[in-house]
Amino acid sequence: EVQLVQSGGGLVQPGGSLRLSCAASGFTLSNDWMHWVRQAPGKGLVWVSRINSDGSSTNYVDSVKGRFTISRDNAKNTLYLQMNSLRAEDTAVYYCARSNYYDSGGHAFDIWGQGTMVTVSS
Amino acid sequence: QSVLTQSPSASGTPGQRVTISCSGSSSNVGSKTVNWYQQLPGTAPKLLIYTDNQRPSGVPDRFSGSKSGTSASLAISGLQSEDEADYYCSAWDDNLNNWVFGGGTKLTVL
């Protein structure tokens, strides 16, 4: 079965750090752009970051720039999100997702992880 | 405030056709393809429509997508109770250099 299995997350104090992991199963993610998307409680989806297939190119939403780092280990078929200087407003369910390029001319997030909750609170 | 604008809610009765709209700008919907995601309560989002109007394998043909200018729409015909979910549109934004989502539309099947 093709899936992304997430781990990490939990409760952390403001200013603390956390690392999320996202392991691919049933496929190899080494050829794919990978993303993190988050969803605050009761709110909508917000794209957080992306990384290209070999890790040489990354992008971030402004609100996390300088605090979050996306990375990947293709040998381990795993994506990571290192989150530092965490704030209360980072509290959310974090999803990893694969983007697939379609011949019809665009990318879409076709495989999603199950999500992991990150709570930033004292 | 989301970059893409969706109505917060929509509703319909079983068998009806409902439409969910998504409004953007020239830097996203107007120049990039639009994707739609369905999120059932307590679950991860699922790709419903990609590149404006294409359905992934396994998505019923009751779901269809369209786009005109800077607006996109998701139509659901033959509404069923299991369609009750949140629906999100999404596109790449050339100005922000980000993927952007709509705020989501909560669909209620009456």
Side-chain angles (χ1 to χ4, degrees), chain A residues 63-106:
Chain A
S63 58
V64 309
K65 282 179 183 175
R67 300 189 299 122
F68 289 12
T69 302
I70 189 172
S71 63
R72 63 195 298 157
D73 185 336
N74 286 341
K76 294 184 177 179
N77 221 19
T78 301
L79 173 74
Y80 303 100
L81 185 67
Q82 177 68 42
M83 304 183 292
N84 298 331
S85 302
L86 282 161
R87 306 166 180 167
E89 54 264 36
D90 296 319
T91 295
V93 174
Y94 285 74
Y95 296 100
C96 59
R98 180 186 83 164
S99 62
N100 188 33
Y101 181 77
Y102 294 92
D103 291 342
S104 44

Side-chain angles (χ1 to χ4, degrees), chain A residues 39 47 59 102 104 107 109, chain B residues 35 37 39 51 88 97-98:
Chain A
Q39 186 171 35
W47 176 85
N59 298 93
Y102 294 92
S104 44
H107 285 90
F109 303 149
Chain B
N35 306 313
Y37 300 91
Q39 187 176 33
T51 62
Y88 295 90
N97 211 31
N98 275 0

Side-chain angles (χ1 to χ4, degrees), chain B residues 24-97:
Chain B
S25 67
S26 59
S27 63
N28 43 64
V29 175
S31 58
K32 303 296 179 186
T33 59
V34 175
N35 306 313
W36 290 90
Y37 300 91
Q38 178 193 57
Q39 187 176 33
L40 298 170
T43 69
K46 168 192 167 186
L47 180 62
L48 197 63
I49 297 288
Y50 63 91
T51 62
D52 298 339
N53 54 22
Q54 302 297 304
R55 283 185 310 277
S57 173
V59 172
D61 60 6
R62 303 186 295 106
F63 294 90
S64 62
S66 63
K67 190 177 81 173
S68 178
T70 59
S71 293
S73 295
L74 171 71
I76 310 171
S77 60
L79 199 61
Q80 299 180 4
S81 58
E82 56 260 40
D83 298 334
E84 193 160 279
D86 294 324
Y87 293 85
Y88 295 90
C89 59
S90 180
W92 177 259
D93 189 291
D94 276 336
N95 286 350
L96 296 173
N97 211 31

